[in-house]
Amino acid sequence: MVTRRDFLKGAVAAGVGSTATGAAARETRKVPETAVGLLYDATLCVGCKACVAACKEANGNPPEFSTKEQLWDTPLDTSAYTFNLIKVYQNGTMQTKDAEKDGYAFMKTSCMHCADPSCVSACPVSAMTKHPVTGIVSYDPDKCIGCRYCVFACPFGIPKFQYDSPTGKIGKCELCRHRYKEGRYSACAEVCPTGATLFGRTVDLLAEAKRRLSLQPGSVTTFPRGRLGEAAVPGVKWREEPDQRYEAEVGRYVPHIYGEREYGGTQVLKLSGVPFEKVGMPKLPPYSSAATSETIQHTLYGGLIMPIAVLGLLTWRAKRTVPTEEEAEKNEGESA
Amino acid sequence: MNAHLKPAPVGGPLLNAVTLTAGVLVAVMLAIVAIRFIYGLGAVTHLNDGYPWGIWIAVDVVIGSAFACGGFSVALLVYIFNRGEYHPLVRPALLASLFGYTLAGVAVIIDLGRWWNVWNIFNPWTVNVHSVMFEVAICITAYIIVMWLEFAPTFFEKFGLTEAKRRLSKVMFLLVALGILLPMMHQSSLGTLLVVAGEQIHPLWQTPLLPALYLLTAIAMGYAVVLFESCLASAGYRRSIELHLLTPLAKVMLGVLLAYLIVRVGDVLVRGALPLAFSLSLEAFFFWLEMALFLLPFFLIGTEEQRRHPARLFLGGIALLLAASLLRLNSFLIAYQTVIGVDTVGVNYRYFPSLAEIMVTVGMFAIEVLGYIIITRRFPVLPRGEVHA
Ligand code: SF4
Ligand code: SF4
Ligand code: SF4
């Protein structure tokens, strides 16, 4: 079978550029060693939405209403004013938690902080950037031109634009990087009462996720809350926190760590009892479309070799066929 | 008839039913655009969190600029493939391109949510050279400038600036070369824009060959637009039609179309996406509609005999323009679905343009018609044709 990737290599050489420069395909980037992120464990989530409220507060976002009464913050999806949302999966009688049939389950939706983010590759003005150390994908409204290419590109539908304002901005989770200087980490993880959302280094989170998957469902184990491990972001010292660990039963997981490989890896990882596609997490290949797109661009425009070569060819032809005014007049005189 | 007759203004009144209607439509558009800048994009468009791009991008910019490929396609033929006989077509085609592209540029600004930051695209400290959008923006801007320069002799002629005209003519070959390279770059990149969206574009359209598909159809559209425009100008201004040029030009167009179809069909087959075309879905329907339109020109102007009928050339041109436009509309809007909300969780987003959005697109078209009429009647653009009695 031809994979998309193999196909790309052949296609680019054969179809687009007859004089392909042989530029190497740009591989999907990896999550930085020192990257930070979140681990969301749907089996621990009780759907209290404390994280949704905390996220709003931490980012100064207004409530959004989807009901007539407009009493509570009730967004149906993440938006430019809602960076984090707990969505509910419902099936049949909705009796059992984390069961695919006749059950219900929760799923957190927020930026995945991709290893090789489409939003960053798309943005023409570097308003979306990925930090080389923390890997946090952040947004700078002073650079942003509001083209919404990042919205179009993100495979998780995360960046959203404020269409209701003449000076609208993009809104998305930036992993609460603005709180680090106070020694505080992601608000959603900080408030989570069950540790369903954990903050930490992605390598540590991945190890924790693997540990959970290796345990016997129904057995008892210790779950951390808030922050996992002491590893800090450079220049940041986390606030002292009491030991928040607690014991609970291990859930029934689907044997898959979402984000370990999806799109080349993401810094936010997820565990679930219900297959991920059913809870709104898309099935994605193990590489990023940013790599595909940039491979095409680099093949065609790398070092401007092809454009310059083509321009040279065109100029050489045009020099012979485009008459200057003197030549045009001379020709006219001759043909008359 | 001498093919090398100098172009001349058509003359005649500027105020008539067509220009008046166009004027009203432009006024409506300006009012809507004013509201958009005062209250934001949401006040007039149906754009939403699932569809960040609507018809202002897909139609006004992507399709609009492809309609404006006449100048570049004809220049390619005349100056690169040295087919001097098509020379009379250069100026009118270039004019249409100039207008089309300038308007596409304006359309981009109207759609930009933070337009006052647009200079960041030209700021070496902020640009992201890996972004396809960056490449499109730079090339379109450069091309608009190059085209204005290419067209400047027409204005110089009108205002008697002979010295400026003479100087410009010395570097014209370079402008012509750039005027071919730049649209090749950004017309293909308009297709590449979709690649980064990955699985969000339906597999019938998502392919790394998108740049090739967009480039080939842009070139073909360039010839189609010349067929369309020449027939229309002859009818509208009651001038004799340049059949001796259009008949062979139509053949060139079919050649490019054939190359496109080979790449397009081959790609769908190799990627194994064809079965999806036989599913009961909106995407499948639009795929077949697009394919049917692409095949239509072969039935309309497939034979030499058919290509001698102005009406058929006109229809053949229209069929190709519709087909290539649908390819763009399909790949940017019909084929696009942001992945969140595909199952029981989340929102299923829908997009259909608002009346205001449509009126802005219509207004853009009206500006083009208006500009074309004013310029051809007052400036030496169209080949001097014998006016029918
Ligand atoms: S989830 Fe979307 S917004 Fe977040 S880093 Fe990945 S591509 Fe960017
Ligand atoms: S909307 Fe802003 S952040 Fe998003 S791609 Fe465009 S310029 Fe970049
Ligand atoms: S890290 Fe901060 S911004 Fe991101 S979802 Fe959690 S609370 Fe919201």
Side-chain angles (χ1 to χ4, degrees), chain B residues 176-191:
Chain B
V176 167
L178 274 172
I180 293 168
L181 175 75
L182 292 168
M184 278 172 78
M185 286 171 73
H186 65 244
Q187 282 299 330
S188 56
S189 291
L190 284 170

Side-chain angles (χ1 to χ4, degrees), chain A residues 77 122 126 144 148-149 155 163 321, chain B residues 42 111 117 126 131 193 339 349:
Chain A
D77 198 353
S126 315
C144 173
R148 312 184 299 287
Y149 192 18
Y163 297 100
T321 54
Chain B
D111 191 80
N117 280 340
T126 54
S131 166
L193 273 181
V339 280
Y349 295 103

Side-chain angles (χ1 to χ4, degrees), chain A residues 4 7-8 11-12 15-16 76-80 87-90 109 118 120-126 139 141-149 151-157 160-161 163-169 263 277-280 282-285 289-290 292-294 296-298 300-301 307 310-311 314-315 317-319 321-326 329 332, chain B residues 6 37-43 47-49 51-53 76 78-82 111-118 120-121 126-128 130-135 162 165-166 169-170 172-174 176-178 180-181 184-185 188-189 192-201 206-209 211-212 267 270-271 332 336 338-340 343-347 349:
Chain A
R4 259 169 183 263
F7 181 69
L8 169 74
V12 168
V16 190
L76 293 176
D77 198 353
T78 57
S79 75
K87 292 184 182 178
V88 193
Y89 167 82
Q90 297 171 327
T109 308
S118 291
V120 171
S121 170
C123 182
V125 291
S126 315
Y139 168 69
D142 293 333
K143 290 186 191 154
C144 173
I145 60 172
C147 66
R148 312 184 299 287
Y149 192 18
V151 185
F152 191 82
C154 169
F156 300 100
K160 303 267 166 80
F161 184 73
Y163 297 100
D164 59 348
S165 159
T167 56
K169 294 177 194 159
Y263 229 53
E277 290 136 80
K278 301 265 164 159
V279 288
K283 210 179 167 73
L284 291 173
S289 295
T292 317
S293 174
E294 290 187 19
I296 294 178
Q297 288 302 87
H298 294 176
L300 294 176
Y301 303 118
V310 175
L311 183 65
L314 294 173
T315 313
R317 292 292 294 173
K319 181 91 180 107
T321 54
V322 180
T324 63
E325 199 167 76
E326 283 86 359
E329 271 161 17
E332 235 158 69
Chain B
K6 271 193 140 188
F37 279 110
I38 298 168
Y39 296 103
L41 282 165
L47 295 175
N48 57 61
D49 285 343
Y51 286 91
W53 288 347
L76 191 67
V78 171
Y79 298 119
I80 305 308
F81 293 101
N82 203 7
D111 191 80
L112 283 185
R114 300 175 71 76
W115 48 270
W116 59 92
N117 280 340
V118 71
N120 279 337
I121 285 206
T126 54
V127 293
N128 169 16
H130 308 293
S131 166
V132 185
M133 171 91 63
F134 160 74
E135 200 252 331
T162 42
K165 190 174 172 234
R166 184 171 296 271
S169 83
K170 292 223 166 77
M172 197 47 93
F173 70 97
L174 194 62
V176 167
L178 274 172
I180 293 168
L181 175 75
M184 278 172 78
M185 286 171 73
S188 56
S189 291
T192 319
L193 273 181
L194 300 170
V195 171
V196 74
E199 346 304 300
Q200 297 174 95
I201 305 286
Q206 181 60 287
T207 158
L209 283 187
D267 169 62
V270 169
R271 285 186 301 109
F332 267 81
Y336 181 76
T338 193
V339 280
I340 300 290
D343 218 296
T344 55
V345 188
V347 186
Y349 295 103

Side-chain angles (χ1 to χ4, degrees), chain A residues 205-224:
Chain A
L205 297 170
L206 183 61
E208 172 69 6
K210 284 184 174 157
R211 180 183 78 90
R212 292 182 194 179
L213 283 189
S214 70
L215 296 171
Q216 190 63 33
S219 64
V220 173
T221 190
T222 305
F223 289 103

Side-chain angles (χ1 to χ4, degrees), chain B residues 34 37 71 85 89 129 167 170 173 267 272 278 289 292 305 312 324 333 350:
Chain B
F37 279 110
E85 64 269 29
L89 300 177
V129 294
R167 281 207 194 144
K170 292 223 166 77
F173 70 97
D267 169 62
F278 295 98
L289 187 63
E305 173 55 33
R312 280 186 174 267
L333 284 175
R350 297 259 174 280

